[in-house]
Amino acid sequence: QVQLVESGGGLVQAGGSLRLSCAASGSIFSINAMDWYRQAPGKQRELVATVVSVGSTHYADSVKGRFTISRDNAKNTVYLQMNSLKPEDTAVYYCKAEIRKTADWRALPFVYWGQGTQVTVSS
């Protein structure tokens, strides 16, 4: 009973900005990491950015310097601030969370995916 709900996608002109949000809800003890992926038509899904529970972030080379990932641990929410958007950023964006459901250290975490949100950047 964990759900990730995404919002914030849309149509924007090149050079514009969008902010994506992904909120996790349900049976959650803690979240180890939250990621953003994207998938363009005819291409494989690729990792865009990730943030771990302590706040460390990593970015794909294609978005470094333009995108910023952040998380609000109290709200179980991850954000992706996208600036200086380019047409090649056009894709469906998915959030992913690795979630612990119990304080039992022996229990494995679970991975959940959001439904995806379309980002279209026009030239």
Side-chain angles (χ1 to χ4, degrees):
Q1 295 84 20
V2 173
Q3 183 173 248
L4 306 183
V5 179
E6 301 179 26
S7 63
L11 174 65
V12 66
Q13 294 188 33
S17 299
L18 286 173
R19 189 188 190 219
L20 306 183
S21 299
C22 176
S25 61
S27 182
I28 299 170
F29 176 76
S30 64
I31 301 178
N32 294 338
M34 301 187 81
D35 311 326
W36 285 100
Y37 286 75
R38 68 185 181 188
Q39 188 167 26
K43 299 182 67 176
Q44 290 189 305
R45 189 171 299 184
E46 64 174 343
L47 178 64
V48 176
T50 185
V51 57
V52 299
S53 60
V54 296
S56 298
T57 59
H58 304 276
Y59 299 91
D61 289 341
S62 59
V63 307
K64 189 175 182 180
R66 300 187 296 119
F67 291 10
T68 302
I69 188 171
S70 61
R71 63 186 287 177
D72 185 335
N73 291 333
K75 297 180 178 180
N76 290 330
T77 299
V78 63
Y79 306 93
L80 186 67
Q81 178 66 47
M82 304 184 294
N83 298 326
S84 301
L85 283 163
K86 304 175 181 179
E88 50 263 45
D89 295 319
T90 296
V92 177
Y93 284 71
Y94 300 88
C95 66
K96 180 177 75 72
E98 184 180 277
I99 293 173
R100 296 177 61 204
K101 294 187 174 183
T102 174
D104 186 354
W105 62 270
R106 297 167 296 181
L108 293 174
F110 292 82
V111 174
Y112 297 90
W113 289 87
Q115 81 281 2
T117 184
Q118 177 70 48
V119 172
T120 302
V121 184
S122 62
S123 60

